Amino acid sequence: MDQKLTRMKELSAVLSEAAKAYYQESREIMSNLEYDRLYDELLKLEEETGTVFAGSPTQKVGYEVLSELPKERHERPMLSLNKTKSPEELREWLGKQKGLLSWKMDGLTVVLTYEEGKLSKAVTRGNGEIGEVITPNAKTFVNLPTAIPWKGKLVLRGEAIITYRDFEKLNEAIPEADAKYKNPRNLCSGSVRQLNSRITAERNVRFIAFSLVQADGMDFKNSRKEQFLWLRKLGFETVEFTEVTEDTILDAIAEFAHRIEHFEIPSDGLVLSYDDLAYGASLGRTAKFPRDSIAFKWADEQQETTLSYIEWSASRTGLINPVAVFEPVELEGTTVSRASVHNISIMEGLELGEGDRITVYKANMIIPQIAENLTRSGVRNIPETCPVCGGKTEIRKINDVKSLYCTNPDCQAKKIKGFALFVSRDALNIDGLSEMTLEKFIAAGFIHEFDDMFHLDRHKDAIVSMEGFGEKSYENLIRAAQTASHTTLPRLIYGLGITGIGLANAKMICRHFSYDLDAMRKAGAEELCAIDGIGAVLADAWVKYFKEEKNNHVLDHLLSDLTFEHEETGNEDRTLEGKIFVITGSVERFANRKELQALIESKGGKATGSVTAKTSYLINNDITSNSSKNKKAKELGVPIISETDFLKLIGEE
């Protein structure tokens, strides 16, 4: 008994950490298959012992929400679904009832509320009880009606998703391999939970309804199908479903399985619900699961094979990713021979060594992964030199995850990826310098530093004679470089590739230092941390970058080739000098909170995330709200003002 209880505590800790990484931090520290296996083991032990510890993953619906988005308690708790991997068990669950079988979509669950025919609120699932308010972002979902003909109160649930096609397009625009999103779900979660709704709008998020919660006064003839048909008439896209009985359900499951490989919407299984609404409601619910629906997860096809070797792939930031290469096997109708292992921590968890017998599968029938290592010979032969440049490597532990890095600042992989970032759209935007072209130019010795890209005329004859080039291509490239040489300081800073410094961070740093590049180079970590949005990790990366003499030389050479657009420093209007603002809740007069923050900073003020005794004003359109920020402001005597009040304060209303 003691051993079982100890094992339960171990499993609870491991699963909770994995859930936190997946749901909150959008990173994976174990495969879905491994998570399900450990979860089922914990569930079985709880049943055997009759003991359930507080905080057990089997009793929690999700992970606690941690973000700056406003939070709100759901009127009706959002429960997880019980699940099975057995088609026969699904058939038995349905019994003599008629059911609806639909896709189990893999995105971010959202609850929508409509009042008087207009979208009034959108809240994420969160932990099932408390979610995040994302109303401005939901209004940018490409297929979502923000106004409907029905004027009663409507509450429905659905999945925010990004299709595989859009996912691939967005990833193609990211030059750094290690910065690319791992899967559509992570991208969707990050897109929907943005503080800037403009970013959500750019990512083509769709909403697909899967459940109607409330529509008072409507008669749906006791049928879930009728609910779906009614929602479609209002303009909502609903999850695709098929009607099934115990005689047809197995064929329906097989048809869904046949289609998933080419299905455009990410899916990790199916959902079976009773069509009879009253019957489903009469069954009630458990502490975690409703009894009117059940999830079906694909019983992943697995094949046993031999691990041939680990291939190590270098990236711009120096991260070297391990990829398992194994003897080819047939999985879900295709031949696979490679699977990403992501990092050394996962390798060590699998005790993965060359020659091991492993089982592999396709996660959600799509992405090849290692399910289990049968022989576990142990991790060995981690390269001491970079596979690209031969420079020394080192293992670094970040957020409890061990990864391999190349320490050579002149690594060719870093150069190609670094130059690709420099010429990308949000940086210098030199059209025509693709990664492939950069690779050719670097190999030919045309490019050693950033400023070489503005002197390609030195190599005209060689470039014109290159395969795929000609006089016209050369002229277009030279013209693009000339155009790019007139830029902005934030674009340049972003293009330098300082670890973690994106375009938004670069803008904040430039604004803080009034676009004084010399002051920015000499800044210490303490001063950088005083900038809203810049933490210790980013500040440390910045300071380290400018401590390198070589980096400063490269920048000096580059500056002689660039001219900068004049940037407003805010000196003309310092109305809010010395004032500190906190913004909370949704905004109405601005596109988003970032736009309001930018206006505050342009007039000399500062916007922070927490209410303290130093806060001058809390901006919240719901002045009577009982939110934690409102309560704190009242305790400290900080004035709470609306957007309109703020505009009056600065003389713009």
Side-chain angles (χ1 to χ4, degrees):
M1 184 70 170
D2 288 345
Q3 289 181 338
K4 289 183 178 181
L5 294 176
T6 300
R7 177 59 176 163
M8 287 163 62
K9 291 177 181 177
E10 291 173 354
L11 290 168
S12 183
V14 170
L15 291 168
S16 294
E17 184 63 26
K20 178 182 178 182
Y22 185 79
Y23 288 108
Q24 185 183 325
E25 301 167 8
S26 294
R27 62 187 179 94
E28 295 182 22
I29 59 177
M30 69 170 62
S31 69
N32 290 340
L33 195 73
E34 178 70 359
Y35 184 91
D36 288 345
R37 185 182 69 78
L38 297 179
Y39 183 94
D40 290 342
E41 181 186 348
L42 176 59
L43 194 62
K44 185 179 178 183
L45 286 171
E46 288 178 343
E47 290 172 354
E48 289 176 1
T49 61
T51 300
V52 179
F53 291 110
S56 168
T58 66
Q59 302 302 303
K60 293 163 71 177
V61 178
Y63 207 82
E64 288 293 326
V65 173
L66 290 174
S67 81
E68 296 180 38
L69 290 167
K71 299 173 185 64
E72 184 170 297
R73 185 173 295 277
H74 293 295
E75 290 182 21
R76 303 181 188 185
M78 299 189 65
L79 305 177
S80 298
L81 294 179
N82 203 354
K83 66 180 186 295
T84 179
K85 290 189 176 182
S86 165
E88 283 294 342
E89 194 173 312
L90 209 62
R91 182 171 180 258
E92 185 180 331
W93 181 90
L94 181 61
K96 299 298 181 183
Q97 290 289 321
K98 184 172 74 173
L100 301 184
L101 189 66
S102 60
W103 295 107
K104 184 176 183 292
M105 296 170 289
D106 194 16
L108 188 72
T109 301
V110 176
V111 186
L112 302 180
T113 301
Y114 287 77
E115 294 177 289
E116 299 298 326
K118 293 183 179 179
L119 177 63
S120 61
K121 186 167 57 181
V123 185
T124 67
R125 178 177 183 272
N127 68 353
E129 293 187 2
I130 298 174
E132 297 164 305
V133 180
I134 52 137
T135 311
N137 297 347
K139 289 178 179 178
T140 72
F141 293 171
V142 292
N143 66 333
L144 184 69
T146 54
I148 56 175
W150 196 67
K151 304 303 180 185
K153 184 175 181 180
L154 171 65
V155 182
L156 69 157
R157 295 171 180 168
E159 202 81 353
I161 61 98
I162 290 177
T163 65
Y164 283 111
R165 186 183 291 112
D166 289 327
F167 167 72
E168 287 161 6
K169 283 181 183 176
L170 286 160
N171 254 355
E172 284 170 4
I174 301 173
E176 314 97 301
D178 53 308
K180 293 180 185 290
Y181 290 92
K182 298 292 186 291
N183 53 58
R185 183 210 163 273
N186 287 3
L187 174 59
C188 184
S189 177
S191 301
V192 173
R193 298 170 66 234
Q194 282 286 333
L195 294 176
N196 185 344
S197 59
R198 187 175 289 115
I199 295 175
T200 310
E202 291 170 352
R203 294 184 178 174
N204 228 27
V205 180
R206 307 180 71 85
F207 176 84
I208 301 179
F210 60 67
S211 175
L212 193 155
V213 179
Q214 181 181 346
D216 295 339
M218 285 299 301
D219 180 10
F220 297 110
K221 302 174 185 176
N222 195 36
S223 168
R224 189 180 296 268
K225 176 184 175 181
E226 290 296 322
Q227 290 183 333
F228 280 135
L229 296 178
W230 182 71
L231 287 173
R232 288 178 182 176
K233 287 179 182 177
L234 294 181
F236 294 100
E237 184 175 351
T238 67
V239 65
E240 180 188 338
F241 65 88
T242 185
E243 296 178 79
V244 293
T245 66
E246 63 178 346
D247 296 326
T248 62
I249 188 169
L250 297 183
D251 288 339
I253 293 170
E255 175 62 21
F256 275 106
H258 174 71
R259 293 178 53 207
I260 190 170
E261 185 176 357
H262 302 290
F263 192 52
E264 219 11 69
I265 296 171
S267 167
D268 56 357
L270 303 173
V271 174
L272 177 62
S273 303
Y274 294 121
D275 184 56
D276 188 323
L277 297 171
Y279 177 75
S282 72
L283 299 175
R285 47 174 272 194
T286 67
K288 186 176 181 183
F289 306 120
R291 290 196 172 102
D292 63 348
S293 299
I294 187 171
F296 172 80
K297 298 197 75 174
W298 309 109
D300 301 296
E301 179 186 346
Q302 295 188 27
Q303 293 287 354
E304 187 176 323
T305 184
T306 300
L307 177 67
S308 302
Y309 59 92
I310 297 291
E311 180 182 283
W312 297 87
S313 174
S315 68
R316 176 186 70 82
T317 61
L319 178 65
I320 306 176
N321 298 297
V323 178
V325 181
F326 44 83
E327 292 180 4
V329 291
E330 288 288 321
L331 279 177
E332 313 292 354
T334 61
T335 302
V336 296
S337 59
R338 301 162 62 86
S340 176
V341 193
H342 301 300
N343 53 58
I344 292 174
S345 292
I346 290 178
M347 286 182 66
E348 290 178 342
L350 290 166
E351 299 179 64
L352 200 59
E354 294 176 5
D356 278 341
R357 292 296 290 174
I358 59 175
T359 57
V360 294
Y361 72 106
K362 282 187 177 180
N364 297 339
M365 302 176 76
I366 296 171
I367 304 166
Q369 289 191 5
I370 296 175
E372 191 176 358
N373 185 359
L374 304 175
T375 49
R376 293 184 171 265
S377 64
V379 175
R380 55 189 185 276
N381 300 329
I382 293 176
E384 296 180 358
T385 57
C386 172
V388 174
C389 70
K392 185 181 177 184
T393 62
E394 69 178 20
I395 297 173
R396 299 175 190 165
K397 192 171 184 179
I398 302 172
N399 293 330
D400 294 325
V401 174
K402 289 197 285 187
S403 300
L404 187 67
Y405 287 83
C406 172
T407 61
N408 176 16
D410 297 317
C411 177
Q412 191 82 342
K414 292 182 183 180
K415 280 188 175 183
I416 293 169
K417 299 295 184 182
F419 287 135
L421 173 67
F422 183 80
V423 303
S424 66
R425 185 182 61 183
D426 287 341
L428 274 289
N429 193 21
I430 305 179
D431 191 31
L433 278 181
S434 66
E435 193 166 316
M436 187 179 297
T437 301
L438 285 167
E439 193 168 350
K440 288 180 182 178
F441 286 4
I442 292 169
F446 302 163
I447 298 175
H448 299 279
E449 293 184 4
F450 291 136
D451 78 308
D452 290 330
M453 284 182 265
F454 299 98
H455 298 285
L456 291 172
D457 55 320
R458 298 167 180 166
H459 312 283
K460 177 181 178 180
D461 293 342
I463 292 174
V464 170
S465 63
M466 276 185 163
E467 184 180 350
F469 272 86
E471 191 76 34
K472 187 172 182 181
S473 297
Y474 165 79
E475 289 175 359
N476 289 340
L477 185 57
I478 296 300
R479 193 178 301 113
Q482 288 173 344
T483 301
S485 68
H486 182 65
T487 186
T488 67
L489 190 55
R491 280 177 173 269
L492 170 62
I493 295 299
Y494 169 60
L496 294 177
I498 303 169
T499 304
I501 302 296
L503 184 58
N505 302 130
K507 287 178 178 177
M508 286 190 283
I509 293 170
C510 289
R511 194 180 296 122
H512 178 82
F513 288 98
S514 300
Y515 297 87
D516 183 341
L517 182 55
D518 285 335
M520 291 158 64
R521 288 205 227 191
K522 297 171 184 174
E526 187 175 344
E527 184 174 9
L528 288 161
C529 285
I531 303 172
D532 189 39
I534 304 298
V537 174
L538 294 184
D540 184 55
W542 180 279
V543 172
K544 281 183 178 178
Y545 183 89
F546 286 108
K547 270 189 177 179
E548 289 285 337
E549 191 173 336
K550 181 180 177 181
N551 291 337
N552 286 288
H553 284 316
V554 167
L555 180 55
D556 288 336
H557 293 163
L558 183 57
L559 289 172
S560 64
D561 295 304
L562 302 178
T563 58
F564 295 103
E565 292 178 15
H566 174 69
E567 300 280 354
E568 295 293 336
T569 63
N571 292 332
E572 295 80 1
D573 181 358
R574 308 298 288 178
T575 308
L576 303 179
E577 185 80 61
K579 298 284 194 298
I580 298 175
F581 294 81
V582 174
I583 309 165
T584 190
S586 58
V587 292
E588 298 167 359
R589 308 287 293 274
F590 295 85
N592 47 58
R593 290 193 287 188
K594 284 291 183 186
E595 187 174 270
L596 174 53
Q597 178 180 329
L599 178 59
I600 291 169
E601 291 171 348
S602 73
K603 294 181 180 297
K606 184 176 179 182
T608 63
S610 303
V611 178
T612 69
K614 294 182 180 180
T615 304
S616 306
Y617 297 96
L618 170 63
I619 300 176
N620 187 353
N621 285 322
D622 188 356
I623 294 175
T624 61
S625 164
N626 284 321
S627 69
S628 58
K629 284 189 173 67
N630 273 26
K631 288 179 180 177
K632 189 70 174 176
K634 289 172 184 175
E635 286 174 14
L636 297 172
V638 173
I640 305 172
I641 62 174
S642 66
E643 281 175 273
T644 303
D645 297 329
F646 169 75
L647 291 170
K648 288 177 181 176
L649 181 70
I650 61 174
E652 295 190 13
E653 181 73 16

